[in-house]
C-alpha cells in the first residue's frame, strides 16, 4: 500500500462526525471535526483544544446501540468504522 492509499483509508476512518475516545481519557466521547492529512497531527475533535494522532484515538462503533432510545451517545448520526 502506498502512502496515498494509506492516507485515503485513514481519511475514511476519521470522517467528520465519527465518534472517538481518547485512549488516555476513557469514558468521554468526542466527535471528529476535521481530518487534514497535511497537518501533523491530522485529526481535530469537537470540544477538544488540540489535534490528535490516530494512535491516540479509539473509534467508537454504534454496534452496541441495539435500540436507539437505549443508546448512551448523544443524539448524533453515528458511523460504523
Amino acid at each position: 500500500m502506498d502512502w496515498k492509499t494509506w492516507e485515503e483509508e485513514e481519511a475514511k476512518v476519521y470522517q467528520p462526525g465519527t465518534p472517538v475516545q481518547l485512549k488516555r481519557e476513557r469514558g468521554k466521547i468526542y466527535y471528529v471535526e476535521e481530518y487534514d492529512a497535511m497537518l501533523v497531527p491530522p485529526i481535530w475533535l469537537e470540544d477538544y483544544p488540540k489535534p490528535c494522532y490516530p494512535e491516540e484515538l479509539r473509534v467508537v462503533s454504534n454496534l452496541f446501540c441495539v435500540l436507539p432510545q437505549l443508546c448512551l451517545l448523544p443524539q448524533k448520526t453515528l458511523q460504523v468504522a
Side-chain angles (χ1 to χ4, degrees):
M1 178 183 295
D2 62 14
W3 69 270
K4 182 79 171 158
T5 306
W6 175 79
E7 188 178 277
E8 290 169 353
E9 289 298 316
E10 191 173 79
K12 288 179 190 175
V13 172
Y14 295 102
Q15 292 180 23
T18 301
V20 296
Q21 284 183 330
L22 287 167
K23 289 180 180 176
R24 66 178 177 269
E25 213 178 286
R26 296 249 176 207
K28 181 146 173 64
I29 294 177
Y30 295 94
Y31 293 91
V32 174
E33 185 173 328
E34 178 182 359
Y35 175 89
D36 187 345
M38 301 308 288
L39 295 177
V40 176
I43 304 165
W44 284 91
L45 305 177
E46 294 177 5
D47 302 323
Y48 193 72
K50 60 182 187 171
C52 302
Y53 290 102
E55 55 270 15
E56 296 177 288
L57 303 172
R58 184 175 77 80
V59 175
V60 178
S61 166
N62 66 343
L63 295 177
F64 62 88
C65 296
V66 179
L67 300 173
Q69 63 270 25
L70 297 177
C71 184
L72 301 175
L73 300 177
Q75 293 300 316
K76 280 202 171 207
T77 302
L78 298 180
Q79 302 169 358
V80 176

